[in-house]
């Protein structure tokens, strides 16, 4: 009965979404307050219905109801409970249900938390949000029904993809979707503003927290996915420029640009047309990511490659959503013009350059990701675009972004003087260059990647310190006054400082790992040892053990440094009989300044074991940087200005039913 209830509530949610998409939009156009008021309750009702449907599917997975086709194809009675629950979204249909549930969640949040929004803007925003919901609910019900029953249920299920049976990937999709789908709200705000024909500082203040929340969730989701790929795939890398990785990275870049652009709209009432375009493009790239993951046009280790019918349905949604929004933008963009002027040396110019670099880097990733598809369509040739292309084309934009970041953070609004802005930064620049020279010296020459990365990372971190120093009063202020001023800074300013620091930490982790890691690939017998970067690795044993739903070759490797035992690693080679699929569980000893990483391969004909070994300097700084950036985002979200809205905002009068609003 759970499957039937879940399906019924999805159908009801579709009906509510239709009402939410039509009635409030008409009400906003005709200024009918009672019609506009339908939007809020409808958004909440839609969320409740979809949440109930999602709960019914979760119950089916937890109770191993193999009469439901989706459960039979993606679960097993011997699977640990954590993966029974996360198996709900470890497939196309279940993850799509999670997608629409989060879409409805954001609509409900606008309904509950948007009390200070003008009624017309709120009604239009929720109507646009419902239109997106209608499209994906139709997609779910017509092509991807998660509640289909089997006439003859099997005795047990086919199990979940073994690669997905991991804590990191269990929580990766919900966070990623909170970011992906969260950008739908900024999209809805943008379309509502285009329909209304008005964008101002108040609009930017309302949009920024939602864009920031989506960006933070995307940051966490991408970091979890990167961490999973690092230790689960056994390849030793943290980023592979995989199409699915790129699908989440592109909207992250545009969301970051949107955040900075919205600041200009809020503070200076300019860049309005560009900010609207970014809000449209950010969600459009989320939709493109959905197409990449679910259409099967591009292959990936963690994509939902499905039949062409589903791909065509998503493509239709893409054409309508992106084409329609850009057409509306072309018709209304001239109304978003601003007469506010600013000098070339100003914070506005710095944020414009920031936006250009982020948008251009997104364009590079898009071309590299989609070029194999375009090339095959045009020439019939199958080609691949790998890390060398992305490293060469993407890196210069990030280097330029890091170089301008401290200056752009400190230069005044409207009109500034570059020499005055640089005064507190010259010391930071000198220390950064000195640190880069030191790094080059200790590595005794060689590649310039780590020294350049050290300069950029230090420049960003010391730039944050210089900015806070100036905000506290500079050299002529005593310590107690400095501390009082720092305590009095808005949380949004602290959030900015923390997030920028996280970027500096991440840059150093990336360049140190890339430039200094050492690698060894060999076949080794039990009892043998070898040296790598000052460490001795000895394979002590490989035992056959049984897990709850897998069989594992469980390795034991002792690591020595300067003759003293340092740690023991346990890499595994697992085999899942139900799926008939092997997986690799790396053995990793993590530290603040290095990771020792061992991946166990197959046994060879002579009884030796294939083994991949890496010494990875500063690997954890990559994910530490992502965590710090996310914490900075949460700090900004806690700023009371985001919680209470504009100080001057007053509750609008509510006209009587049928009477036009003023």
């Amino acid at each position: 009965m759970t499957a039937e209830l879940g399906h019924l509530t999805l159908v009801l949610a579709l009906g509510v979404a239709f009402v939410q998409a039509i009635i409030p939009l008409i009400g906003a156009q005709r200024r009918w307050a009672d019609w506009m008021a339908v939007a809020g309750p409808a958004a909440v009702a839609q969320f409740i219905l979809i949440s109930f449907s999602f709960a019914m599917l979760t119950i089916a997975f937890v109770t191993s109801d193999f009469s439901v086709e989706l459960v039979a194809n993606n679960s097993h009675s011997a699977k640990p409970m954590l993966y029974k629950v996360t198996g709900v979204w470890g497939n196309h249909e279940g993850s799509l249900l999670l997608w629409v549930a989060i879409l409805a969640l954001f609509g409900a949040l606008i309904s509950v938390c948007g009390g200070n929004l003008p009624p017309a803007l709120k009604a239009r925003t929720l109507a646009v949000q419902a239109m997106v919901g209608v499209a994906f609910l139709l997609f779910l019900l017509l092509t991807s029904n998660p509640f289909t029953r089997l006439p003859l249920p099997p005795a047990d299920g086919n199990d979940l993809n073994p690669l997905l049976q991991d804590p990191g990937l269990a929580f990766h999709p919900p966070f990623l979707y909170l970011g992906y789908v969260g950008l739908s709200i900024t999209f809805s705000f943008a379309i509502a503003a285009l329909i209304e024909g008005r964008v101002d500082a108040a609009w930017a203040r309302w949009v920024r927290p939602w864009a920031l929340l989506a960006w933070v969730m995307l940051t966490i989701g991408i970091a979890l996915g990167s961490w999973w790929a690092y230790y689960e795939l056994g390849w030793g890398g943290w980023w592979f420029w995989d199409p699915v990785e790129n699908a989440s990275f592109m909207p992250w870049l545009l969301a970051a640009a949107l955040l900075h652009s919205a600041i200009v709209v809020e503070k200076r009432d300019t860049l309005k047309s560009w900010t609207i375009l970014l809000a449209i493009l950010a969600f459009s790239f989320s939709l493109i990511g959905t197409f990449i993951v679910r259409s099967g046009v591009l292959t990936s280790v963690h994509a939902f490659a499905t039949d062409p019918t589903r791909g065509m349905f998503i493509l239709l949604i893409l054409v309508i959503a992106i084409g329609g929004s850009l057409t509306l933008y072309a018709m209304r963009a001239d109304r978003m013009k601003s007469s506010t002027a600013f000098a070339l040396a100003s914070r506005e110019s710095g944020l414009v350059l920031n936006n250009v670099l982020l948008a251009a880097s997104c364009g590079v990733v898009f071309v590299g990701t989609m070029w194999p598809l375009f090339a095959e369509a045009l020439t019939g040739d199958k080609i691949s675009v790998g890390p060398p292309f992305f490293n060469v084309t993407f890196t210069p934009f990030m280097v330029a972004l890091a170089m301008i970041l401290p200056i752009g953070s400190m230069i005044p609004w409207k009109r500034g003087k570059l020499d005055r802005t640089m005064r507190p930064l010259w010391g930071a620049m000198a220390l950064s260059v000195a640190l880069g020279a030191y790094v080059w010296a200790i590595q005794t020459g060689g590649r310039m990647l780590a020294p350049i990365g050290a300069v950029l990372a230090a420049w960003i971190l010391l730039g944050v310190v210089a900015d806070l120093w100036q905000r506290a009063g500079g050299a002529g202020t005593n310590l107690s006054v400095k501390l009082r001023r720092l305590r009095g800074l808005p949380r949004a300013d602290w959030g900015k400082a923390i997030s920028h620091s996280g970027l500096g930490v991440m840059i150093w982790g990336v360049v140190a790992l890339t430039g200094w890691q050492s690698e060894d690939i060999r076949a080794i017998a039990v009892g043998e040892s070898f040296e790598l970067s000052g460490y001795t690795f000895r394979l002590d044993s490989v035992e056959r053990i049984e897990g709850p739903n897998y069989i594992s070759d469980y390795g034991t490797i002792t690591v020595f440094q300067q003759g003293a035992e340092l740690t023991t690693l346990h890499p595994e080679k697992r085999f899942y009989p139900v799926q008939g699929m092997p997986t690799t569980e790396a053995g990793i000893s993590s530290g603040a300044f290095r990771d020792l990483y061992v991946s166990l391969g197959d046994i060879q004909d002579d009884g030796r074991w294939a083994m991949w070994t890496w010494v990875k300097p500063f690997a954890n700084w990559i994910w530490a940087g992502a965590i710090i950036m996310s914490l900075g985002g949460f700090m900004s979200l806690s700023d009371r200005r985001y919680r209470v809205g504009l100080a001057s905002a007053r509750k609008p009068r509510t006209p009587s039913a049928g009477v036009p609003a003023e």
Side-chain angles (χ1 to χ4, degrees):
M1 192 64 182
T2 55
E4 287 71 24
L5 285 172
H7 185 260
L8 174 62
T9 50
L10 271 185
V11 175
L12 292 175
L14 176 62
V16 172
F18 268 114
V19 171
Q20 182 185 334
I22 297 171
I23 300 299
L25 204 59
I26 297 174
Q29 184 65 29
R30 297 182 177 270
R31 314 301 290 176
W32 293 344
D34 49 350
W35 284 44
M36 288 190 284
V38 170
V44 173
Q46 186 189 161
F47 172 63
I48 292 172
L49 288 168
I50 296 175
S51 297
F52 183 84
S53 179
F54 189 83
M56 292 301 98
L57 185 62
T58 303
I59 290 171
F61 269 85
V62 168
T63 58
S64 296
D65 183 358
F66 298 121
S67 66
V68 178
E69 184 179 7
L70 189 67
V71 180
N73 289 338
N74 296 278
S75 192
H76 191 271
S77 58
K79 190 168 64 174
M81 181 56 68
L82 172 64
Y83 304 129
K84 286 185 178 180
V85 174
T86 59
V88 175
W89 55 79
N91 54 82
H92 165 70
E93 293 84 354
S95 66
L96 191 59
L97 180 56
L98 177 63
W99 210 102
V100 296
I102 293 175
L103 185 74
L105 168 64
F106 277 95
L109 287 174
I110 286 289
S111 172
V112 173
C113 304
N116 62 334
L117 290 170
L121 178 63
K122 182 177 179 180
R124 289 186 174 108
T125 299
L126 287 175
V128 175
Q129 189 77 0
M131 291 177 189
V132 180
V134 166
F136 277 91
L137 283 168
L138 284 173
F139 178 40
L140 186 64
L141 288 167
L142 297 179
T143 72
S144 310
N145 183 7
F147 297 105
T148 302
R149 291 280 192 183
L150 289 172
L152 296 173
D156 217 327
N158 293 331
D159 208 357
L160 179 67
N161 184 337
L163 287 174
L164 306 182
Q165 296 186 39
D166 177 86
L169 208 66
F171 299 104
H172 161 66
F175 280 104
L176 201 65
Y177 287 4
L178 282 167
Y180 255 170
V181 186
L183 290 171
S184 64
I185 281 294
T186 61
F187 172 83
S188 297
F189 266 113
I191 299 303
L194 286 173
I195 295 172
E196 202 166 275
R198 185 169 65 90
V199 173
D200 53 19
W203 178 88
R205 177 68 61 86
W206 290 316
V207 166
R208 274 185 65 195
W210 300 105
L212 181 57
L213 178 61
W215 178 84
V216 169
M217 293 297 112
L218 258 180
T219 302
I220 296 172
I222 291 171
L224 282 172
S226 171
W227 180 54
W228 165 81
Y230 175 70
Y231 70 79
E232 175 66 22
L233 297 182
W235 300 343
W238 61 276
W239 193 263
F240 304 98
W241 294 108
D242 178 88
V244 175
E245 290 178 327
N246 296 346
S248 59
F249 190 43
M250 289 184 288
W252 184 89
L253 291 167
L254 291 176
L258 173 61
L259 279 175
H260 292 84
S261 180
I263 295 172
V264 184
V265 179
E266 180 185 345
K267 300 290 186 182
R268 299 287 301 141
D269 197 34
T270 189
L271 295 188
K272 293 185 288 188
S273 179
W274 171 247
T275 303
I276 290 286
L277 180 60
L278 280 177
I280 293 172
L281 290 178
F283 183 59
S284 297
F285 271 88
S286 293
L287 295 177
I288 291 171
T290 302
F291 175 72
I292 290 173
V293 172
R294 299 176 189 276
S295 64
V297 297
L298 292 173
T299 58
S300 165
V301 70
H302 46 329
F304 297 114
T306 55
D307 61 82
T309 303
R310 291 172 176 172
M312 290 302 297
F313 202 113
I314 300 175
L315 190 60
L316 179 62
I317 294 174
L318 272 176
V319 170
I320 294 174
I322 299 176
S325 60
L326 291 179
T327 300
L328 181 61
Y329 174 79
M331 294 169 59
R332 297 296 184 93
D334 59 329
R335 300 188 184 184
M336 309 296 168
K337 291 180 180 179
S338 173
S339 59
T340 304
F342 53 87
L344 185 61
S346 64
R347 186 168 300 186
E348 293 93 327
S349 293
L351 290 171
V352 168
L353 184 55
N354 159 288
N355 273 220
V356 169
L357 292 171
L358 286 169
S361 62
C362 177
V364 165
V365 177
F366 176 74
V367 170
T369 304
M370 301 303 292
W371 184 250
L373 182 62
F374 296 148
E376 185 175 357
L378 293 173
T379 66
D381 297 331
K382 290 185 177 292
I383 65 170
S384 62
V385 177
F389 168 82
F390 292 105
N391 292 340
V392 170
T393 57
F394 180 81
T395 303
F397 293 107
M398 292 299 101
V399 170
L401 187 66
M403 290 172 63
I404 68 166
L405 194 149
I407 303 171
S409 296
M410 295 182 65
I411 197 166
W413 292 100
K414 192 175 180 179
R415 185 178 292 106
K417 292 185 177 181
L418 196 57
D419 57 341
R420 182 176 297 178
T421 302
M422 284 298 300
R423 284 174 193 169
L425 287 171
W426 286 119
M429 180 178 291
L431 285 174
S432 302
V433 173
L435 180 61
Y438 173 74
V439 168
W440 184 80
I442 62 173
Q443 73 172 17
T444 62
R447 296 177 63 187
M448 290 299 296
L449 179 63
I452 292 174
V455 172
L456 294 175
W459 170 239
I460 292 174
L461 291 167
L462 293 173
V464 169
V465 174
D467 189 15
L468 293 175
W469 176 263
Q470 285 298 106
R471 300 288 297 274
T477 310
N478 65 51
L479 181 60
S480 61
V481 174
K482 280 187 173 67
L483 293 176
R484 186 169 66 251
R485 288 181 176 178
L486 288 175
R487 283 196 301 268
L489 286 178
R491 291 187 180 182
D493 290 351
W494 279 108
K496 179 189 76 170
I498 293 169
S499 292
H500 288 179
S501 299
L503 178 62
V505 170
M506 176 179 282
I507 286 175
W508 173 243
V510 168
V511 297
L513 175 63
T514 306
W516 289 343
Q517 73 174 351
S518 52
E519 176 183 2
D520 181 271
I521 304 175
R522 67 176 62 219
I524 185 172
V526 172
E528 288 185 353
S529 60
F530 63 93
E531 301 279 337
L532 180 63
S533 296
Y535 297 94
T536 301
F537 296 81
R538 186 183 69 202
L539 178 60
D540 293 331
S541 64
V542 180
E543 301 172 302
R544 177 62 60 92
I545 64 171
E546 290 192 12
N549 60 336
Y550 62 83
I551 301 168
S552 173
D553 291 321
Y554 185 83
T556 299
I557 297 168
T558 304
V559 184
F560 301 87
Q561 187 177 30
Q562 296 179 348
E565 184 174 327
L566 182 64
T567 187
T568 302
L569 304 178
H570 295 288
E572 295 183 62
K573 188 74 174 182
R574 292 181 181 178
F575 180 76
Y576 290 77
V578 175
Q579 287 261 326
M581 181 176 174
T583 67
T584 300
E585 304 289 325
I588 304 175
S589 172
S590 295
F593 301 106
R594 61 96 187 104
D595 275 8
L596 304 178
Y597 186 113
V598 177
S599 176
L600 190 67
D602 297 320
I603 191 169
Q604 308 299 299
D605 294 338
D606 59 359
R608 294 172 176 265
W609 289 89
M611 196 162 80
W612 290 261
T613 309
W614 289 268
V615 177
K616 295 181 169 291
F618 296 95
N620 285 315
W621 289 48
I622 298 171
W623 299 287
I627 292 170
I628 294 169
M629 282 196 290
S630 301
L631 290 175
F634 283 124
M635 176 66 79
S636 292
L637 280 171
S638 70
D639 193 310
R640 68 180 301 274
R641 293 174 297 177
Y642 288 148
R643 288 184 275 113
V644 303
L646 288 172
S648 61
R650 289 193 299 240
K651 264 238 181 282
R653 275 193 315 169
T654 303
S656 303
V659 178
E662 293 180 0

